[in-house]
Amino acid sequence: VQAPSADMAGPYPTATAEYRLKAAIDSNILPERATEVWARAYWPKDLANRPSRRALKKHPLIAFLHGNHATCGTGSRPREDNSCEYTYEGTCPVGSVVTPNHEGYNYSAENLASWGYIVISINANRGITCAGGDRDDSGLILARGRLVLRHLQLWSEWSQVGGAPATFGDANLFLGAVDLGNVGLMGHSRGGEGVRAALNLFRDTNSPWPQKIPGLDIKAIYEIGAVDGQSHRVLDAPSVAWNQTLPLCDGDV
């Protein structure tokens, strides 16, 4: 069977919304700095028209994670991202805006949603992006992995018991609609190693995450120009479909 063209839209109209929880110190992600659970989601619009909230059809979930970057910028088209103030303070300098790092893959997320996927693009700005870690996690790769898992935990809850944020327009919109047994992860640069960290942290012996996200099965990982070795751990991805797009003349890797 020949796969459709990658730029061809699928049969489903799509919908999108952001969710953004209040910044807080979450020991499950990063115990010493405030982080933020913030993402833009895309999904097939027909979810709202299901005859039953526990309809049989479940949609695979894909999570995107951006790379390391400044978190505040000035100007527009182009915007110059030149400050890390939002990372630490949750505000930007006067005249600056928060860098929408999670918006960079919207075109891809919308296309995937049109083929029946639920897609989230995670913003890791607060506490993580543009910040340094410690000797065990110098690039905050493990923190990124825990942030991804925290998002997946929420999607597990919204699928099983409801309670999605008001920005979705319906607290039960995703009830019974998310297939956590069929999850893919994609990341760029530190986001690439970060999504691989999520897999490893979930699979660790005595990991708390399987209890938080019952039934989670990460089936595939796709990394774009990913870093490697920015934590104390060796992070591999056995028994998943694992693909890497290598960069050319990349001075950062």
Side-chain angles (χ1 to χ4, degrees):
V1 177
Q2 184 174 352
S5 172
D7 60 356
M8 183 184 300
Y12 299 102
T14 64
T16 182
E18 278 195 344
Y19 60 95
R20 187 175 181 179
L21 307 188
K22 186 177 180 180
I25 292 178
D26 184 341
S27 60
N28 290 309
I29 302 171
L30 193 65
E32 66 270 18
R33 270 198 300 273
T35 53
E36 201 168 25
V37 176
W38 176 12
R40 176 164 287 279
Y42 284 85
W43 63 94
K45 199 172 184 178
D46 68 349
L47 286 182
N49 300 320
R50 289 175 299 157
S52 168
R53 289 304 185 189
R54 294 201 176 274
L56 293 177
K57 183 173 177 58
K58 291 189 175 184
H59 297 263
L61 177 67
I62 300 176
F64 292 173
L65 185 62
H66 61 80
N68 206 47
H69 198 69
T71 53
C72 297
T74 55
S76 62
R77 298 182 183 273
R79 184 189 63 251
E80 180 185 359
D81 297 321
N82 49 22
S83 168
C84 298
E85 183 174 316
Y86 187 84
T87 307
Y88 298 98
E89 304 298 332
T91 58
C92 285
V94 175
S96 295
V97 296
V98 180
T99 304
N101 279 314
H102 61 310
E103 300 278 1
Y105 297 106
N106 284 354
Y107 64 97
S108 181
E110 183 172 13
N111 182 276
L112 286 165
S114 78
W115 288 101
Y117 294 91
I118 295 172
V119 186
I120 60 172
S121 188
I122 296 168
N123 186 308
N125 281 358
R126 188 71 190 273
I128 295 177
T129 304
C130 212
D134 56 25
R135 183 170 59 182
D136 289 339
D137 193 19
S138 60
L140 291 176
I141 300 302
L142 302 180
R144 285 173 164 84
R146 292 189 293 267
L147 179 65
V148 170
L149 292 171
R150 180 72 178 96
H151 279 267
L152 296 180
Q153 179 186 0
L154 285 175
W155 281 90
S156 176
E157 293 170 3
W158 298 340
S159 178
Q160 293 183 62
V161 297
T167 49
F168 289 116
D170 181 350
N172 294 322
L173 177 63
F174 301 105
L175 192 62
V178 187
D179 185 358
L180 269 298
N182 199 9
V183 170
L185 305 177
M186 188 275 276
H188 166 240
S189 192
R190 293 193 195 185
E193 193 174 13
V195 297
R196 200 178 340 130
L199 173 73
N200 282 261
L201 291 164
F202 183 80
R203 290 181 170 181
D204 278 346
T205 302
N206 298 322
S207 168
W209 292 105
Q211 186 173 1
K212 296 174 186 290
I213 320 170
L216 174 64
D217 192 356
I218 298 169
K219 295 289 184 64
I221 293 178
Y222 177 49
E223 302 176 34
I224 304 170
V227 303
D228 193 41
Q230 293 200 12
S231 80
H232 74 288
R233 295 190 57 170
V234 174
L235 299 169
D236 291 325
S239 69
V240 302
W242 179 21
N243 293 277
Q244 175 84 235
T245 296
L246 296 176
L248 180 66
C249 301
D250 188 336
D252 186 46
V253 182

